[in-house]
Amino acid sequence: MLFRFSLYGFLKNQRYFEPFFILFLLHKGLSFTQIGVLIAFREFSINLTEVPSGAFADLYGRKFSMILSFTAYLISFFIFAISSSYWQFFAAIFFFAIGDAFRTGTHKALIFSWLRLQDRISEKTKIYGYTRSWSKIGSAVSIVIATLIMLLAKDYDDLFYYAAIPYILGIINFITYPNSLDGEKKDEVAIHDFWKHFVTLIRKSVKIKALRNLILESMSYEGLFAAAKDYIQPLLKSLALTLPVFLALEDKSRTAVVVGIVYVILYIASAYASRNSHRIVKKFGSEEKGVKFVWRITSASYLLLVPLFYFELYLPAVILFIILFLMQNLWRPMQVSRFDEFATEQEGATILSIESQSKSLATMLIAPVLGLLVDLTINFNLGGDYWLIAVIGLVISAVFYFKK
């Protein structure tokens, strides 16, 4: 099963469009504010279906939920590939959000169910970190493929067509999962049972102080990271055009090569970080102390990014962005493990979906703000384009570091 769990992560991250997604939208004529609104709509759509989809997975079957997720992604890829207007992108984003909603939390619950059946639940941080590392290896491989596609086809639209192939293979992989991992689902479930399960877990998340604090922490860390991480793409484009390398290539191909090289380094390093997250726990003695260490490094990184962005020092800024990616991949396995402490077998997917929904809510609020700040900085010539993003990141991360 470890092979199949890892294969899922590897195939899921064959999103050849991902390292070029912001550049794709900018190429279509969107402003940073419009992109922020689009991202906010994605997170709003996830919020509508995130927890109900987790309850659906717990009660009707996690395998079926994962198959529905990948089917929604396939529909999204097709719409993105053929869209040319701003409003068409909302339809593509909606199906992408459905894919995220039915996937996030559900596959983690599958892994934890297998660990319980194997009497290996004490290894949850290590095992989840291992399978997550294969997701990052998959991302590194996808970058190489995406770069080749851009060099040969030179069209962002083609990236979405090619991404459909591994997702079809992913559906085949899910079919091979044993039914025992679906948990203690009922043969027949009334709508009343569905909503009872949903409302019970919402109340539990609100009433238990420690769980409530975990949700707030995830909202802040993951919401900020999800809203800010893709700004590395226009940053890399600016870097590519200033470096005296690959001068024989046209601008789009030159950008593709630089993006490819940086993302390969980023994802390989992220895979290493995810696989060794359990070592941070061992070093500091607990997930709680390990998470505080991550907050410390994150705060310091944003602090340094403020002047680097303001004075447009792109190369060291890219290095710090990579450090932020590493911190997120150390943080994530520890945080997921902390959430699992509050979940029974049948509640697993729903609890983790509530956590993911909180992240979506935070991203929905933060993304348009960041886009607007970048547009204001550009339009009023207030210094480097992205320094206000670093200020927001510094404030949020510093608050949680000193709070812990």
Side-chain angles (χ1 to χ4, degrees), residues 4 7 11 63 67 70 165-177:
R4 281 177 276 185
L7 181 61
L11 293 173
K63 284 176 55 179
I67 291 171
F70 271 42
I165 299 172
Y167 273 70
I168 293 171
L169 296 176
I171 292 175
I172 296 172
N173 183 44
F174 294 138
I175 294 172
T176 70
Y177 280 29

Side-chain angles (χ1 to χ4, degrees), residues 124-136:
K124 57 188 175 183
T125 300
K126 180 179 180 180
I127 295 299
Y128 177 65
Y130 175 82
T131 58
R132 182 177 169 81
S133 73
W134 275 103
S135 297
K136 300 307 173 184

